[in-house]
């Protein structure tokens, strides 16, 4: 998948409602560069992800970044969810909320069943995220707060899994966890390999085979995701952002960003802020017509 799966924002509402009775199975596994939480609201879906299982209403599917998964079969699926950049979240604030995803990487089941009384609440949170995403002048802090509330429900629903023993994670899972935790600072393939006690060649081959990306590509993706977040959410200078995402040389950061996005960081910021302003103006100008139509 592309390096910019979520678009410009680090948190994104997603929905898939299958047309017809059956959704075609996926021929090959998908690998996201982002974390995905998929709440199944209706229909059924058989999925391959660390084994095979069937998802039905009330099931929440947890998919860490880099985990290969695919749909084997589906009947009238209605799936609501969130995709988000884990690197863009403050580990001091979100560490406990992300624990269920860490357990999945360690071998725990990727499926959590929400209690019936909490399913409607989580759906309301997802609806609110969708409204916020579409709103003129959307505020990143609101999306982040809604994500935290959804993650809290996942933690509560999967609380019994904390005591369950899990096997040692794979080398790939360990390497991706190291990258997520440390990619915004100085980090190289050699350091990732040392952290997981393997040779650089072994680690990069394993990660490439499992995810379709090299270790270095994962490091770059984590850094650029946080750079995009800062470009939109702050007024920090580009050289400051460069340092904050692990690049001491701003010119190298600018070249790398342009190679991945086709424009410089400053131009990317201007483009996306301009689009946001145009959307705000368009929706404001449409409001009187909508009100008039309702009254008429």
């Amino acid at each position: 998948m592309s390096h910019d799966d979520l678009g410009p924002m680090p948190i994104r509402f997603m929905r898939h409602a299958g047309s017809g009775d059956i959704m075609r199975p996926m021929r090959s596994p998908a690998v996201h560069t982002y974390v995905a939480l998929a709440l199944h609201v209706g229909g059924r879906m058989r999925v391959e992800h660390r084994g095979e299982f069937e998802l039905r209403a009330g099931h929440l599917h947890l998919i860490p970044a880099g985990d290969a998964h695919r749909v084997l079969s589906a009947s009238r699926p209605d799936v609501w969810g969130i995709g988000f950049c884990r690197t863009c979240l403050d580990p001091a604030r979100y560490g406990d909320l992300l624990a269920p995803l860490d357990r999945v990487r360690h071998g725990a089941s990727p499926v959590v069943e929400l209690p019936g009384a909490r399913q409607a609440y989580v759906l309301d949170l997802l609806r609110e995220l969708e409204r916020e995403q579409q709103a003129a002048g959307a505020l990143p802090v609101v999306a982040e707060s809604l994500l935290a509330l959804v993650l809290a429900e996942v933690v509560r629903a999967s609380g019994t899994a904390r005591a369950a023993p899990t096997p040692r994670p794979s080398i790939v899972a360990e390497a991706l966890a190291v990258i997520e935790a440390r990619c915004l600072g100085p980090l190289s393939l050699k350091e990732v390999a040392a952290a997981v006690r393997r040779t650089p060649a072994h680690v990069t081959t394993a990660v490439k085979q499992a995810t379709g990306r090299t270790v270095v590509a994962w490091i770059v993706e984590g850094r650029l995701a946080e750079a995009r977040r800062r470009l939109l959410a702050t007024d920090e200078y580009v050289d400051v952002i460069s340092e904050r995402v692990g690049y001491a040389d701003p010119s190298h950061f600018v070249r790398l960003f342009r190679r991945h996005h086709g424009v410089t960081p400053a131009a990317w910021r201007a483009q996306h802020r301009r689009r946001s302003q145009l959307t705000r103006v368009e929706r404001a100008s449409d409001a009187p017509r909508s009100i008039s139509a309702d009254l008429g």
Side-chain angles (χ1 to χ4, degrees), residues 178-240:
V178 170
I179 292 168
E180 286 176 343
R182 295 169 50 184
C183 70
L184 299 185
L187 186 65
S188 65
L189 166 60
K190 184 177 180 180
E191 289 166 325
V192 173
V196 300
R197 301 164 301 282
R198 294 292 191 277
T199 66
H202 179 88
V203 173
T204 202
T205 298
V207 170
K208 174 71 173 179
Q209 288 178 344
T211 72
R213 293 170 179 265
T214 66
V215 168
V216 172
W218 277 103
I219 293 172
V220 170
E221 173 56 32
R223 290 173 171 177
L224 291 183
E226 172 63 2
R228 294 192 298 269
R229 185 192 73 80
R230 287 181 175 275
L231 286 167
L232 280 182
T234 77
D235 292 319
E236 292 174 339
Y237 291 116
V238 170
D239 57 348
V240 172

Side-chain angles (χ1 to χ4, degrees), residues 50-294:
R50 300 175 181 271
E52 293 184 15
F53 48 87
E54 185 175 276
L55 295 165
R56 59 183 185 275
H59 283 168
L60 190 65
H61 186 190
L62 313 183
I63 310 173
D67 263 25
H69 59 285
R70 68 187 178 112
V71 175
L72 299 175
S73 63
S75 177
R76 297 186 180 278
D78 188 3
V79 185
W80 298 49
I82 302 179
F84 66 93
C85 162
R86 179 166 179 166
T87 308
C88 303
L89 299 177
D90 181 357
R93 293 178 57 196
Y94 285 86
D96 291 341
L97 293 176
L98 295 168
L101 287 157
D102 294 333
R103 290 198 293 273
V104 171
R105 276 204 173 140
H106 279 73
S109 171
V111 181
V112 172
E113 187 163 7
L114 291 177
R118 307 306 291 174
Q119 292 175 27
Y121 172 64
V122 172
L123 270 177
D124 283 343
L125 293 174
L126 294 176
R127 289 190 185 99
E128 193 59 37
L129 178 63
E130 181 183 27
R131 284 192 289 268
E132 178 63 24
Q133 184 173 291
Q134 295 174 349
L139 300 173
V141 68
V142 175
E144 203 171 299
S145 298
L146 291 167
L147 170 62
L149 291 171
V150 172
L151 289 172
E153 292 300 312
V154 178
V155 170
R156 294 183 182 114
S158 60
T160 55
R162 290 179 184 174
T166 55
R168 182 182 179 85
S170 68
I171 294 300
V172 173
E174 283 191 296
L176 292 177
V178 170
I179 292 168
E180 286 176 343
R182 295 169 50 184
C183 70
L184 299 185
L187 186 65
S188 65
L189 166 60
K190 184 177 180 180
E191 289 166 325
V192 173
V196 300
R197 301 164 301 282
R198 294 292 191 277
T199 66
H202 179 88
V203 173
T204 202
T205 298
V207 170
K208 174 71 173 179
Q209 288 178 344
T211 72
R213 293 170 179 265
T214 66
V215 168
V216 172
W218 277 103
I219 293 172
V220 170
E221 173 56 32
R223 290 173 171 177
L224 291 183
E226 172 63 2
R228 294 192 298 269
R229 185 192 73 80
R230 287 181 175 275
L231 286 167
L232 280 182
T234 77
D235 292 319
E236 292 174 339
Y237 291 116
V238 170
D239 57 348
V240 172
I241 292 175
S242 172
E243 184 176 1
R244 291 188 186 279
V245 300
Y247 295 106
D249 181 0
S251 61
H252 173 67
F253 167 67
V254 170
R255 288 194 301 271
L256 184 69
F257 192 97
R258 183 164 48 197
R259 186 160 67 243
H260 281 256
H261 295 285
V263 294
T264 65
W268 189 92
R269 170 187 267 165
Q271 286 177 3
H272 286 281
R273 287 190 173 179
R274 191 180 307 118
R275 288 174 188 171
S276 178
Q277 290 169 354
L278 288 173
T279 301
R280 190 178 300 119
V281 170
E282 289 170 357
R283 287 179 175 162
S285 63
D286 286 343
R289 289 196 293 273
S290 298
I291 293 172
S292 298
D294 291 340

